Structures are given as structure tokens and as C-alpha cells.
């Protein structure tokens, strides 16, 4: 099952059950939202989860593109991505948690063809403030799916205050042979779907006020596709296939964290620029700038002649198609390539200037004091991550 079919299977399932598809899945949050980027499918729906009527009704379904900078340092392993897509369904004061779980089970079993023997779930077991989620536990037991009770792992919140509630996470077994363990004890259980019973609103004093009952579900598209295609890593599924096939030949990168970082960050940068963000020294533009400079630092570590001008347009078009973003106008320069090459030139010039400054100041590392970092930034405009990329690695550590 490829990515397009996975999306249509999910959306069609919920449309047949009265859910209205949402439009507008930009990485940019709604006006007035203080965050830089949309981080989850429910993010744009927060006002409606706490009671505001939604113009499309009480049953919704969506595919939302998301960006999380909190996992940036984890990118390069087999599971973390900077930009990803999230499938979601919502009940805004309509049906409750048991119905959501039953539909989820039906979709995984019949729509995606996952055998029930490969399923395991976790459910909120209660704490000193809220009792166990017996409705979810009873529903899963009636469906014949094994349940593990937890506390911290099965309580969802939007932050220290705001909407929150118990959740039930659905895991799929990816190991060889029949499973003989539980999700909290074995990483071969991969979480694919989270159903949040949005029952409370947490006050600043920590107390909980009841909310109109609602359900918010979220499922990472790339992770689901990886499981459905039987792959070991998100970088092996069809989402990344052209990138992982082309980039190693293009720049001679071996399969590993560096290759994954380059593919992820270039793919993510493509989406960010497509949503109207340009590199800058602060805010959203700085996130984009950091992504591109991490790519260039990785590429130039072994060969300074590598350039983003080598990128074939087919890779950029593949990602734009996946995220439903338009390509360049026929016969006109590709604005995305212009952004990439302009930022590459800016970074190369900054590196040259940075090396000159460090040499003149006699700062050869491998470590600098906080005062030296502050001086280089305030006097010469050199950010810390740039300085670190120019210093020799600390003995016994990996290169920057």
C-alpha cells in the first residue's frame, strides 16, 4: 500500500461515517497563534476542542503537514523526521471514545489489512487526580485486543494548561514471529495511532474542569506507511525512495545518519519554502536557514565542492507532489532552487569570513568560553552553531 492509497483509505473511511474533510493544511499556524509552525493535526483545532462550534460540523477528518523542531537533534535515526504528515479524525462533542476506538480497530484490520494478532494497546491506568479509563479498557477487551495500563504514557495535554485527557495508543508488532511482550517493554512494538479522550481543561493551579466530551486522533502518515510496507525505517518507504536512491549517487554519501539528515532536511526545506517561508535570521526563516546550513555543513565536511545546484528537479517535484504544493511556472526559473542556491552562497561567504575572524583572533578551539562566543556573535555576527562547525572536534567526539 503506497502513500496515496494510504491517505485515500483513511479519509474515505471517515467520510463514509459522516466526517467532513478539512482544507488548509499549511505548516503556518492560524493568525494570532504564537508558535512558529503547526506541530500536530489537532493544533489548528484547539479552539473547537474546547467548545467553539466548527463551521463544518462535529465530525472532521484531515491530513495535516507538521514541523517539530524539538526532535531536530534526533533526525538521522530510523524514526524521526522534521516535517511529516499526520492523519487525523475528530469528534467535537459528538461520539465518544469507545466508538472512536471501534472504528480505529475496524480501519486497521479491514482497511489497512493489519492482522489483529499484531495489535496491542495502552490505556490510562489512573493517577491521584483522575481514575482509570475504564471505557477504553472495556472496549479493547471486548474487541479482543490485549491492553497494558500506564500513567504518564497515556495522558495527553496541550501544555501546562489547556485541553487534556486520557489517551489510548495503538501499537503494531514489527518483530519476527508472534509477539511475546508489551509495548512498554519491547521497541518492536511501534505506535501508529493515538486516540485522545479530550475530557478536561487544566487550570493554572493544576485543577481540572470538565470539557464537552470530544475525541482527537492522530496517526503519523510516514510511520504508518513504513509499517504497512514492512520497512525497518521511515527512510525506506516510498516517501523517501527517490531521495535515498539519488542522493548517495549524487554526493557519495553512505547509508547512515548523515544521508538521512541530508534527505530529511532538504525534503523539509522544500515543504517550508513551498508554504511561503524564506531564510532569515529569526523566527520561521531561521528554522529554515538552520535546516539548510546543517545540510551544507554535512556535505562540505568531506568535500567542499558539493553544491545544491546538483539537485535534480525530480526530487523537488516528488516532495511538492506529496505535499500538494505547486511547482514552478513553465518556462520560468524554479523559485525553490533560487532560494537554495542563494542560501548556499550566503553560507559559504559567512564560513569564509568566520574562518578569517577565528584565525585573526587566535581562536583555534576545540572549545571556546561563553565570553568568546558572545564576543564573536555581538561583534562579528557569527552564531554559535556556525562557530562550532568551524572548530576542530573535541577529542573523542564525533565531528560537528
Amino acid at each position: 500500500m503506497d502513500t496515496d492509497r494510504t491517505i485515500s483509505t483513511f479519509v474515505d473511511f471517515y467520510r463514509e461515517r459522516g466526517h467532513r474533510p478539512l482544507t488548509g493544511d499549511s505548516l503556518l499556524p492560524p493568525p494570532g497563534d504564537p508558535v512558529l509552525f503547526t506541530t500536530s493535526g489537532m493544533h489548528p483545532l484547539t479552539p473547537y476542542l474546547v467548545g467553539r462550534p466548527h463551521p463544518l460540523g462535529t465530525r472532521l477528518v484531515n491530513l495535516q503537514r507538521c514541523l517539530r523542531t524539538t526532535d531536530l537533534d534526533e533526525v538521522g535515526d530510523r524514526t524521526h523526521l522534521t516535517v511529516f504528515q499526520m492523519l487525523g479524525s475528530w469528534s467535537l462533542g459528538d461520539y465518544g471514545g469507545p466508538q472512536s476506538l471501534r472504528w480505529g480497530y475496524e480501519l486497521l484490520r479491514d482497511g489497512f489489512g493489519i492482522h489483529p494478532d499484531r495489535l496491542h494497546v495502552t490505556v490510562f491506568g489512573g493517577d491521584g487526580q483522575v481514575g482509570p479509563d475504564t471505557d477504553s479498557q472495556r472496549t479493547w477487551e471486548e474487541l479482543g485486543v490485549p491492553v497494558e495500563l500506564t500513567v504518564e504514557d497515556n495522558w495527553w495535554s496541550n501544555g501546562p494548561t489547556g485541553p487534556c485527557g486520557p489517551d489510548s495508543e495503538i501499537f503494531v508488532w514489527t518483530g519476527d514471529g508472534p509477539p511475546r511482550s508489551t509495548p512498554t517493554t519491547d521497541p518492536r512494538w511501534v505506535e501508529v495511532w493515538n486516540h485522545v479522550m479530550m475530557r478536561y481543561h487544566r487550570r493554572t493551579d493544576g485543577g481540572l474542569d470538565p470539557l464537552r466530551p470530544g475525541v482527537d486522533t492522530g496517526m503519523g502518515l510516514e510511520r504508518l506507511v513504513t509499517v504497512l510496507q514492512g520497512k525497518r525505517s521511515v527512510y525506506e518507504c516510498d516517501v523517501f525512495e527517490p531521495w535515498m536512491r539519488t542522493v548517495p549517487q549524487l554526493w557519495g554519501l553512505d547509508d547512515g545518519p548523515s544521508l538521512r539528515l541530508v534527505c530529511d532536511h532538504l525534503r523539509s526545506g522544500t515543504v517550508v519554502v513551498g508554504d511561503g517561508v524564506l531564510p532569515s535570521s529569526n523566527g520561521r526563516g531561521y528554522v529554515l536557514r538552520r535546516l539548510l546550513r546543517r545540510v551544507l555543513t554535512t556535505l562540505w565536511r568531506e568535500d567542499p565542492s558539493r553544491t545544491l545546484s546538483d539537485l535534480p528537479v525530480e526530487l523537488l517535484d516528488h516532495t511538492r507532489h506529496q505535499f500538494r504544493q505547486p511547482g514552478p511556472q513553465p518556462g520560468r526559473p524554479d523559485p525553490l532552487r533560487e532560494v537554495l542556491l542563494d542560501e548556499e552562497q550566503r553560507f559559504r561567504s559567512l564560513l569564509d569570513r568566520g574562518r578569517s575572524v577565528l584565525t585573526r583572533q587566535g581562536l583555534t578551539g576545540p572549545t571556546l568560553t561563553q565570553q568568546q562566543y558572545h564576543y564573536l556573535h555581538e561583534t562579528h555576527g557569527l552564531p554559535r552553531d556556525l562557530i562550532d562547525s568551524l572548530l576542530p572536534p573535541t577529542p573523542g567526539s564525533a565531528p560537528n
Side-chain angles (χ1 to χ4, degrees), residues 86-335:
M86 184 170 285
L87 294 158
S89 63
W90 293 272
S91 165
L92 305 178
D94 196 310
Y95 56 84
Q99 180 64 79
S100 181
L101 298 180
R102 290 181 183 279
W103 277 339
Y105 175 76
E106 180 183 349
L107 176 56
L108 292 174
R109 183 194 62 188
D110 301 336
F112 293 128
I114 298 176
H115 196 281
D117 290 346
R118 296 177 61 201
L119 297 178
H120 204 305
V121 300
T122 58
V123 168
F124 182 67
D127 57 18
Q129 193 173 22
V130 179
D133 185 4
T134 54
D135 287 345
S136 295
Q137 182 178 359
R138 186 181 307 112
T139 300
W140 287 122
E141 289 173 348
E142 291 173 356
L143 293 170
V145 179
V147 178
E148 182 179 16
L149 298 178
T150 79
V151 179
E152 292 85 359
D153 293 340
N154 285 103
W155 181 267
W156 188 93
S157 62
N158 195 36
T161 61
C164 58
D167 66 57
S168 183
E169 298 175 348
I170 306 174
F171 294 77
V172 176
W173 177 251
T174 61
D176 297 327
R180 301 179 181 273
S181 56
T182 65
T184 62
T185 62
D186 193 330
R188 291 176 293 180
W189 287 104
V190 174
E191 180 197 345
V192 295
W193 206 353
N194 191 12
H195 291 237
V196 181
M197 320 312 163
M198 208 71 71
R199 298 174 183 167
Y200 304 100
H201 189 281
R202 190 177 296 279
R203 303 189 303 267
T204 55
D205 63 2
L208 296 173
D209 294 324
L211 273 181
R212 175 192 66 180
V215 184
D216 156 43
T217 86
M219 178 158 54
L221 174 63
E222 292 85 352
R223 183 178 295 186
L224 174 64
V225 171
T226 299
V227 170
L228 295 179
Q229 295 178 358
K231 304 298 185 180
R232 299 173 303 160
S233 160
V234 289
Y235 297 95
E236 295 178 7
C237 69
D238 66 332
V239 169
F240 277 94
E241 192 279 330
W243 288 94
M244 297 295 286
R245 170 171 42 84
T246 303
V247 170
Q249 301 173 2
L250 193 65
W251 291 314
L253 295 176
D254 296 330
D255 188 14
S258 292
L259 173 62
R260 294 169 187 161
L261 181 147
V262 167
C263 291
D264 168 88
H265 284 12
L266 287 175
R267 173 179 178 264
S268 298
T270 298
V271 181
V272 173
V273 174
D275 272 4
V277 178
L278 297 176
S280 67
S281 57
N282 53 61
R284 298 186 182 103
Y286 184 70
V287 174
L288 173 60
R289 173 162 287 170
R290 188 180 177 197
L291 292 175
L292 298 179
R293 289 183 176 181
R294 281 166 63 99
V295 168
L296 293 167
T297 299
T298 301
L299 292 178
W300 292 343
R301 187 179 297 141
E302 296 181 2
D303 184 354
S305 69
R306 290 169 174 165
T307 172
L308 299 182
S309 64
D310 296 332
L311 271 176
V313 68
E314 289 77 15
L315 290 183
L316 307 179
D317 286 343
H318 173 78
T319 294
R320 285 185 285 213
H321 170 74
Q322 283 185 335
F323 286 85
R324 303 161 300 284
Q325 293 178 324
Q329 294 293 325
R332 295 191 176 185
D334 188 338

Side-chain angles (χ1 to χ4, degrees), residues 299-368:
L299 292 178
W300 292 343
R301 187 179 297 141
E302 296 181 2
D303 184 354
S305 69
R306 290 169 174 165
T307 172
L308 299 182
S309 64
D310 296 332
L311 271 176
V313 68
E314 289 77 15
L315 290 183
L316 307 179
D317 286 343
H318 173 78
T319 294
R320 285 185 285 213
H321 170 74
Q322 283 185 335
F323 286 85
R324 303 161 300 284
Q325 293 178 324
Q329 294 293 325
R332 295 191 176 185
D334 188 338
L336 170 59
R337 291 182 67 85
E338 292 182 338
V339 169
L340 296 178
L341 297 183
D342 179 69
E343 189 61 20
E344 177 182 305
Q345 182 56 48
R346 288 174 180 269
F347 189 46
R348 195 181 291 276
S349 298
L350 189 57
L351 285 176
D352 292 340
R353 184 165 66 86
R355 291 190 186 95
S356 176
V357 170
L358 291 178
T359 300
R360 291 200 312 270
Q361 299 294 326
L363 302 175
T364 57
T367 60
L368 301 180

Side-chain angles (χ1 to χ4, degrees), residues 28-88:
L28 307 187
D33 195 314
V35 302
L36 295 178
F37 293 100
T38 300
T39 59
S40 66
M42 64 79 58
H43 192 145
L45 291 173
T46 302
Y48 308 103
L49 289 166
V50 298
R52 182 191 300 176
H54 195 283
L56 292 180
T58 60
R59 297 186 180 189
L60 307 172
V61 63
N62 191 24
L63 174 65
Q64 173 67 52
R65 64 187 69 142
C66 307
L67 187 153
R68 292 181 182 171
T69 57
T70 53
D71 294 335
L72 201 57
D73 290 333
E74 304 298 325
V75 170
D77 65 11
R78 295 195 293 181
T79 60
H80 287 89
L81 299 174
T82 307
V83 168
F84 60 95
Q85 299 190 87
M86 184 170 285
L87 294 158

Side-chain angles (χ1 to χ4, degrees), residues 11-23:
V11 174
D12 290 348
F13 179 90
Y14 280 98
R15 290 185 69 169
E16 292 168 2
R17 288 153 182 80
H19 293 67
R20 300 283 297 276
L22 296 172
T23 58

